[in-house]
Amino acid sequence: MSTVTSFDTTTVRSWDNPQHDTFDTVKFPRPYVAPPRLPHGLRQLEIDHRWNIRVLSPIENIQRDSAVYHVSTWHDTKLYSGILDSLNLAPANLDIMCGEHRRDSNSPNNVRINFERPFVTPPKVVVFFNAFDLCRSKNWRLNTTATNIDKWGFTLNINTWADTIFHSAQVGWIAYPEDRENIFSTSVNTKDVRPSYKPQLQQGKNISFGNAKFSKYPDVFVALNEFDIDNNARFRIKAYVDNVSTKGLTWHIDSWADTILYSAAATIIAVN
């Protein structure tokens, strides 16, 4: 059994009271027989553009019924708000594997990830950011993808482009059997709706779950896997879903105020 848990910093403090570390003990929707695994990613952020864009989101003190969720920064960065999603994997979900990989400016942008044990056939693999550090002086561009997927592993890619100055990023990944019926995953992109040279604050689209079968409305995990944002205003981005049914949902990737969002993408996982 898998569920999704979210942590929103504004449940602890006001957005206009930025702090280096905002955290809380978050209860799971139901207790587990043992502490679950918690792959997690960031889906909403507002960070001041006058300093580097630095964020991390550790989860600590994982218990059967709760864990301590953090959305944090360091040095002189001002982090106004953030939302973190976790996919809570029950101990019995051994056919779902997960992990993390961190890249800094001196490490390769492509790395081979080997599964603990092979799948019968190449699995579905999704990736998403749970930390990054980008210089304030150039536009903020970052993406992550999974390629060369086979039953033994995959290639994890963390890339930027143009003149963005990259310091570090950490990516979470989840792999699961491709024929599992009660999980749906995809990556959605603002470029599915409009080109990146026509930035706008709000965009969304209806999607279908395809062959995935859900007996009830699924829980939905959302996390960013790409963004291209102008550095002349605050880093503001929000990925979320609504209109969730057993057949599909509507995704949204938005910004607000004077932020210029050229493009962004998010990983979506729906699960019963």
Side-chain angles (χ1 to χ4, degrees):
M1 181 185 300
S2 301
T3 58
V4 175
T5 296
S6 295
F7 169 58
D8 183 343
T9 59
T10 62
T11 63
V12 176
R13 60 165 177 83
S14 172
W15 71 270
D16 57 358
N17 180 28
Q19 298 177 13
H20 271 178
D21 187 20
T22 304
F23 62 93
D24 199 9
T25 299
V26 180
K27 292 285 188 180
F28 302 136
R30 59 186 67 86
Y32 295 90
V33 297
R37 292 170 294 153
L38 300 175
H40 57 282
L42 292 157
R43 66 175 174 89
Q44 180 172 324
L45 289 167
E46 180 174 5
I47 302 175
D48 200 301
H49 64 295
R50 292 172 293 178
W51 295 274
N52 285 4
I53 304 303
R54 306 178 180 99
V55 62
L56 69 163
S57 55
I59 299 178
E60 301 176 327
N61 194 26
I62 302 171
Q63 306 294 320
R64 294 175 53 250
D65 61 348
S66 66
V68 179
Y69 286 60
H70 298 252
V71 178
S72 307
T73 189
W74 63 97
H75 199 44
D76 54 2
T77 297
K78 286 189 176 181
L79 191 155
Y80 294 103
S81 64
I83 298 179
L84 165 69
D85 270 10
S86 69
L87 181 65
N88 312 330
L89 299 176
N93 277 336
L94 298 178
D95 59 340
I96 303 178
M97 299 186 200
C98 62
E100 292 181 336
H101 174 73
R102 183 181 183 276
R103 178 198 163 198
D104 61 32
S105 57
N106 296 315
S107 56
N109 57 354
N110 313 106
V111 64
R112 183 67 180 175
I113 302 294
N114 295 312
F115 300 133
E116 294 178 17
R117 54 193 176 278
F119 287 85
V120 175
T121 58
K124 293 184 178 179
V125 179
V126 295
V127 293
F128 39 85
F129 289 109
N130 57 37
F132 46 84
D133 180 358
L134 302 173
C135 185
R136 69 182 185 275
S137 63
K138 304 294 181 181
N139 286 0
W140 305 303
R141 308 174 183 94
L142 193 62
N143 81 334
T144 183
T145 57
T147 57
N148 303 318
I149 301 168
D150 58 39
K151 64 181 183 179
W152 294 281
F154 66 97
T155 300
L156 176 60
N157 312 287
I158 302 174
N159 294 305
T160 186
W161 61 98
D163 59 356
T164 294
I165 300 174
F166 171 89
H167 295 302
S168 66
Q170 183 166 282
V171 168
W173 60 266
I174 298 170
Y176 64 93
E178 53 86 22
D179 59 351
R180 186 157 174 171
E181 292 184 342
N182 62 343
I183 299 181
F184 168 84
S185 67
T186 191
S187 177
V188 299
N189 198 306
T190 59
K191 289 180 282 190
D192 299 338
V193 177
R194 48 92 178 165
S196 59
Y197 61 82
K198 292 185 177 180
Q200 60 189 49
L201 292 180
Q202 297 180 334
Q203 44 267 304
K205 187 177 181 181
N206 297 326
I207 59 172
S208 165
F209 292 144
N211 294 326
K213 296 180 180 179
F214 297 110
S215 58
K216 58 182 180 179
Y217 288 4
D219 284 354
V220 182
F221 167 97
V222 183
L224 298 167
N225 64 49
E226 178 180 322
F227 51 79
D228 181 356
I229 299 176
D230 197 288
N231 71 320
N232 288 304
R234 288 182 186 176
F235 184 104
R236 301 180 181 98
I237 191 168
K238 175 171 62 175
Y240 64 100
V241 299
D242 57 19
N243 300 322
V244 179
S245 72
T246 58
K247 302 296 184 181
L249 55 77
T250 304
W251 63 261
H252 304 265
I253 302 177
D254 298 344
S255 189
W256 60 98
D258 59 350
T259 295
I260 299 176
L261 174 65
Y262 294 110
S263 66
T267 293
I268 293 176
I269 307 172
V271 62
N272 270 168

